[in-house]
Amino acid sequence: MSRIRNRPAFVCAKCGSTSGKWQGQCPDCHSWNTIQAVLAHPANFPPLISKTRTSGDSSGFVSTGEPVTSLSEISIEDVPRLGSGFAEFDRVLGGGFVPGSAVVIGGAPGAGKSTLLLQTLCRAAGEQPCLYVSGEESQQQIASRAQRLGLSGARLRLLTETSVERIVQVAGEERPAFIVIDSIQVVHREELNCTPGGLAQVRESAAFLTRFAKQTGTVLLLIGHVTKDNSLAGPMTLSHIIDTHLMLNSTDDARFRLLRASKNRFGQTNELGVFAMTGTGLREVKNPSAMFLSRSSGSIPGSLVSVLWEGTRPLLVEIQALVVDSQLGNPRRVTLGLEHNRLAMLLAVLTRHGGIVTSDQDVFLNVVGGVRVTETCADLACLLALASSFRNLPLPCDLLVFGEVGLAGEIRPVANGQERIEEALKHGFAKLIVPAANLARQVTEAEVIGVRTLAEALDVL
């Protein structure tokens, strides 16, 4: 029986599917060389824990069970959110931390994950107990960083430990409102006979810590490493265990940090928070649109401004296009911040419905500031920027354009069109080219032109 119980299972590191034997290719996601052997036995799964203190249990909790309850019998109470001290951080979280939630913050080395959470806990430690657990740095290193950042961490508790059981034991004694684990890839369960950072260790450690957080109402903050393709390292099940997944990335010039929520059970996904990296830590940017609009005051061919919708707010970005004669047999198509296939489609529409042929031209398209355009609202702005560069036609610096372009050359409306127009007016834009369907009311503060086809938009220019 013990031989069957300790029989290894084979788990895909990309999709998390389990199979009974090793295979070179995953049968579910069809990825090669992603299946790894892990130990699968009932002892790996953490027990349910409650706030009842016992003398025999090293973690200070006892196993309990909850009865089956009808959905209508469950009382719903408004749980107050816990602020992080950063308005941008709270925006991404959906209004603050939810007690008992598990949050993973991933990012490349040097992005500022540890700095952001150290600043957050030093601010929160003045009102409630907080515990910072590090498995990568010593207490002296953390204290040196706090001193360099000018943080007052007199009430912040530090622990250097990698054993999950020991961490839970100390947390049961300290009873913190916030606990940071730096990082989830270095902690381990003692009963698992595999190295930290492996699939089984990351999965079981995260599950054990998450269960502790939910049963005690502790806000659990996990720092996660990323792989070469900027995805969270570890099994795919890690994203299902936690409640919120945040990614902290730097812009191309490394001056700013973008915090985005890819999963959030308590708020809006794809919400964006902007921070500036300074010598004293991260500082939130109150007006991100002004940051991405640091452009010259003169009229420049191939450059204009569009407005994106990031989470719950608009964001103004500058789009630059450059069209030049190609010296190659196969002209280049280079995009930064925009999907490459989207550019190919827009060039085909520009040729068919705009009369501008770029088959012998090198085309470069860039979204300034390192922002990625994930929606279709910037289609019209990209096409007009390309036409401006091709014709060497300077565009007014107070012109803003947004709208989706269809394959038939029609201009389709976008969501939150009125809010986008109001954001443009707030920043002083005097002329707007928008989809005709987004003109819900007459605007007197600026010249707003509604267009229905690409040909109409080109005639306006």
Side-chain angles (χ1 to χ4, degrees):
M1 181 65 67
S2 62
R3 195 180 311 170
I4 297 177
R5 182 177 300 173
N6 294 330
R7 183 179 179 180
F10 297 89
V11 181
C12 177
K14 186 173 183 180
C15 67
S17 63
T18 305
S19 58
K21 62 179 181 179
W22 185 88
Q23 304 177 67
Q25 184 183 29
C26 176
D28 292 338
C29 65
H30 307 292
S31 300
W32 288 93
N33 300 323
T34 58
I35 296 181
Q36 301 181 14
V38 298
L39 290 179
H41 53 82
N44 287 352
F45 296 94
L48 286 172
I49 52 180
S50 70
K51 295 182 181 180
T52 305
R53 296 295 301 269
T54 62
S55 59
D57 190 0
S58 60
S59 62
F61 298 87
V62 296
S63 299
T64 62
E66 294 184 2
V68 178
T69 308
S70 175
L71 181 62
S72 59
E73 297 176 359
I74 300 176
S75 61
I76 302 177
E77 300 178 357
D78 292 335
V79 179
R81 298 277 185 128
L82 303 177
S84 64
F86 293 99
E88 290 293 302
F89 202 173
D90 292 340
R91 172 189 289 272
V92 177
L93 292 170
F97 294 103
V98 175
S101 62
V103 181
V104 169
I105 299 182
K113 306 180 294 296
S114 301
T115 299
L116 176 61
L117 293 185
L118 183 60
Q119 290 180 265
T120 300
L121 258 64
C122 285
R123 296 183 180 186
E127 300 178 357
Q128 45 209 338
C130 299
L131 178 63
Y132 192 102
V133 182
S134 177
E136 300 181 352
E137 296 178 293
S138 65
Q139 295 183 358
Q140 290 75 16
Q141 289 175 312
I142 300 174
S144 175
R145 179 191 299 153
Q147 182 181 10
R148 176 175 56 85
L149 300 177
L151 301 176
S152 176
R155 302 186 61 181
L156 178 61
R157 307 284 286 176
L158 297 180
L159 173 66
T160 54
E161 183 60 62
T162 58
S163 171
V164 173
E165 288 80 3
R166 172 61 179 164
I167 293 173
V168 170
Q169 178 184 359
V170 174
E173 299 170 354
E174 296 286 336
R175 298 295 182 90
F178 292 88
I179 179 172
V180 169
I181 307 296
D182 187 7
S183 64
I184 188 59
Q185 276 79 19
V186 300
V187 298
H188 67 279
R189 294 285 308 278
E190 295 179 354
E191 63 183 28
L192 294 181
N193 187 21
C194 49
T195 59
L199 296 179
Q201 286 288 9
V202 173
R203 182 185 69 239
E204 301 303 336
S205 298
F208 193 91
L209 292 169
T210 302
R211 184 71 61 89
F212 169 81
K214 292 187 178 299
Q215 294 293 331
T216 59
T218 305
V219 177
L220 176 65
L221 300 171
L222 305 174
I223 295 179
H225 298 166
V226 295
T227 58
K228 293 181 179 179
D229 58 354
N230 204 31
S231 60
L232 189 63
M236 232 5 234
T237 52
L238 177 60
S239 299
H240 300 283
I241 293 173
I242 51 96
D243 300 308
T244 305
H245 179 203
L246 309 178
M247 289 296 294
L248 185 65
N249 299 315
S250 62
T251 57
D252 295 337
D253 55 7
R255 294 183 302 162
F256 301 98
R257 301 294 187 268
L258 306 180
L259 183 66
R260 188 184 298 273
S262 59
K263 173 188 177 180
N264 192 354
R265 289 174 177 166
F266 310 109
Q268 181 80 24
T269 57
N270 290 325
E271 188 65 85
L272 181 69
V274 183
F275 299 85
M277 177 60 77
T278 66
T280 56
L282 292 173
R283 296 290 181 267
E284 54 187 347
V285 178
K286 300 292 185 181
N287 189 4
S289 295
M291 178 192 74
F292 294 115
L293 289 181
S294 56
R295 57 199 303 239
S296 59
S297 58
S299 300
I300 302 176
S303 174
L304 54 78
V305 178
S306 186
V307 54
L308 311 179
W309 193 263
E310 294 290 347
T312 58
R313 66 178 175 185
L315 180 66
L316 302 184
V317 295
E318 180 186 358
I319 295 179
Q320 294 179 337
L322 179 62
V323 180
V324 296
D325 293 333
S326 177
Q327 305 299 324
L328 305 174
N330 187 17
R332 289 178 292 179
R333 303 288 187 263
V334 180
T335 61
L336 291 177
L338 190 75
E339 186 183 0
H340 188 271
N341 293 334
R342 195 77 188 173
L343 174 60
M345 187 197 73
L346 293 177
L347 291 177
V349 174
L350 186 62
T351 301
R352 179 66 179 268
H353 303 285
I356 297 178
V357 180
T358 59
S359 58
D360 57 345
Q361 305 286 316
D362 288 335
V363 177
F364 304 89
L365 197 62
N366 176 41
V367 182
V368 179
V371 179
R372 273 202 74 81
V373 177
T374 58
E375 55 176 345
T376 57
C377 70
D379 289 352
L380 184 57
C382 292
L383 287 178
L384 296 187
L386 291 169
S388 170
S389 177
F390 182 81
R391 300 294 188 189
N392 196 25
L393 174 66
L395 297 176
C397 59
D398 58 352
L399 173 65
L400 183 139
V401 180
F402 69 86
E404 179 183 354
V405 179
L407 292 179
E410 76 278 13
I411 307 301
R412 298 176 176 271
V414 299
N416 307 107
Q418 197 61 41
E419 290 81 356
R420 298 173 196 254
I421 294 176
E422 294 175 358
E423 182 71 10
L425 298 177
K426 187 189 306 181
H427 286 81
F429 286 89
K431 188 173 184 178
L432 283 72
I433 301 178
V434 303
N438 282 128
L439 287 177
R441 62 179 181 85
Q442 188 68 25
V443 179
T444 59
E445 298 89 342
E447 181 185 3
V448 182
I449 303 174
V451 294
R452 291 180 172 83
T453 63
L454 176 61
E456 293 182 15
L458 292 174
D459 289 340
V460 173
L461 295 184

